[in-house]
């Protein structure tokens, strides 16, 4: 029997951990997950603001990507840095994930605490403490990391036992991109350095196409395809075992580029943001009909002048690095209606400036907002209720940032 990718029992034990004042947005009288089940958000005792996950939307997104990878012959290594939620990683594993991707050793340690046995650290690992941890972990799990220069190779060399070398991916970059050796020739030189180094094993080549496109324009698509073509060319040049790319915004282009891989190479997709999707950034990028699953409820606390209201929702509660939150609906006296012309125009630490030209809201109303960029949203909440189509809680997801 194949060993599971994550320890499901360890994840399930999270449900038994008590809830208290450490978890914002949860009712003050709640002490356990069972106390939450069946409560309706936000009216059944939830203090504002409170962030929730739409369970049906999230399940559909998880299923969609699992089916896509199966259909296209892609190994899936979802980027868990988006959610840092072991319960969601477990759902990805149940749907056939081959590995988990993380961004650094701190995140890798979280996943290892829940028994994850195959991790890709999509980053350079060069400081002594991190290198030592990665090397030591090879006895218990497969922990991969990225290298993009002979200096990065030297930082890892000789630290692992000869019979348990650290598997590394050579990262390819292009001028103007993020990290990665600049061009196929430079990356091939790094691969040769890996092959000569003691305690290392060349596991494959890696890229991140998201650096080269920011929309679905012809120019962005062309730049993304150029990077992916170079990545495949590098894989051929160094006879790589595996080839991996991101895939949150351009999974279709990654699948297209990897369809012609030869030499029995493993194609690996690393998408992460798809789990929750969003209402703005990824909504305009993803080729799939995903559904936004993250929402934040807040209350109107002030209407100091005509056309202006304030929500008790701020930078500590919601992502704002790409776009501001989007008002979706207003709840008053149990009646929910769509937001017509409400717009969030700015955020302070704990306040949202709400443009309300038609006087849609009054003090005490609840306003539910969609978000942009889930990768900077999950980190603001240690616990997120999962709700059904009637906004009743069915589960709780804990995060570890």
């Amino acid at each position: 029997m194949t060993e599971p990718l994550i320890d499901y029992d360890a994840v399930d034990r999270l449900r038994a951990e008590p809830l208290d004042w450490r978890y914002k947005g949860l009712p003050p009288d709640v002490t356990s997950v069972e106390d939450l089940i069946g409560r309706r958000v936000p009216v059944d005792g939830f203090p504002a603001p409170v962030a929730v996950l739409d369970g049906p939307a999230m399940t559909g997104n998880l299923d969609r990507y699992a089916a896509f990878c199966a259909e296209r012959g892609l190994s899936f290594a979802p980027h868990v840095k988006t959610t840092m939620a072991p319960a969601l990683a477990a759902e990805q594993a149940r749907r056939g994930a081959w590995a988990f991707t993380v961004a650094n050793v701190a995140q890798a340690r979280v996943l290892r605490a829940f028994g994850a046995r195959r991790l890709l650290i999509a980053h350079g690992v060069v400081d002594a403490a991190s290198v030592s941890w990665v090397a030591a972990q090879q006895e218990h799990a497969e922990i991969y990391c990225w290298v993009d220069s002979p200096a990065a190779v030297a930082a890892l060399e000789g630290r692992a036992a000869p019979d348990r070398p650290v598997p590394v991916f050579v990262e390819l970059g292009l001028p103007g991109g993020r990290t990665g050796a600049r061009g196929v020739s430079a990356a091939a030189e790094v691969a040769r350095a890996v092959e000569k180094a003691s305690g290392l094993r060349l596991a494959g080549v890696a890229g991140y196409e998201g650096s080269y496109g920011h929309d679905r324009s012809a120019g962005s698509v062309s730049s993304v395809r150029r990077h992916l073509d170079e990545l495949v060319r590098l894989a051929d040049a160094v006879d790589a075992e595996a080839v991996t790319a991101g895939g949150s915004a351009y999974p279709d282009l990654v699948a297209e580029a990897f369809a012609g891989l030869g030499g029995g190479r493993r194609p690996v997709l690393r998408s992460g943001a798809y789990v929750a999707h969003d209402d703005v950034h990824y909504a305009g990028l993803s080729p799939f009909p995903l559904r936004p699953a993250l929402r934040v409820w807040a209350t109107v606390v002030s209407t100091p002048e005509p056309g202006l209201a304030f929500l008790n929702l701020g930078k500590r509660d919601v992502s704002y690095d790409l776009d501001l939150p989007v008002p979706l609906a207003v709840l008053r006296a149990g009646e929910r209606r769509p937001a017509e012309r409400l717009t969030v125009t700015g955020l302070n630490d704990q306040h949202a400036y709400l443009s309300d030209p038609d006087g849609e809201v009054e003090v005490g109303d609840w306003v539910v907002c969609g978000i942009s960029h889930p990768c900077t949203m999950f980190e603001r909440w240690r616990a997120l209720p999962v709700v059904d189509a009637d906004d009743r809680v069915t589960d709780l997801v804990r995060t570890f940032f």
Side-chain angles (χ1 to χ4, degrees), residues 12 81 112 125 194 282 316:
D12 288 343
K81 65 99 174 172
R112 283 291 298 135
V125 176
V194 171
Y282 286 105
R316 304 291 174 87

Side-chain angles (χ1 to χ4, degrees), residues 74-77 98 120 169 242-245 254 258 266-270:
L74 298 166
S75 294
F76 196 26
W98 170 74
L120 310 183
F169 280 76
V243 189
T244 179
V254 173
F258 287 1
R266 180 187 294 274
V268 182
L269 191 70
R270 305 192 311 271

Side-chain angles (χ1 to χ4, degrees), residues 376-397:
T376 53
M377 177 67 191
F378 278 90
E379 67 196 45
R380 288 162 167 77
W381 297 87
R382 295 182 61 188
L384 292 145
V386 180
V387 298
D388 63 15
D390 295 319
D391 289 316
R392 296 195 178 276
V393 178
T394 60
D395 204 350
L396 184 75
V397 166

Side-chain angles (χ1 to χ4, degrees), residues 31 137 162 179 217 251 288 313 331 359:
T31 60
Q137 286 297 306
T179 52
S217 66
F288 299 141
L313 172 71
L331 181 67

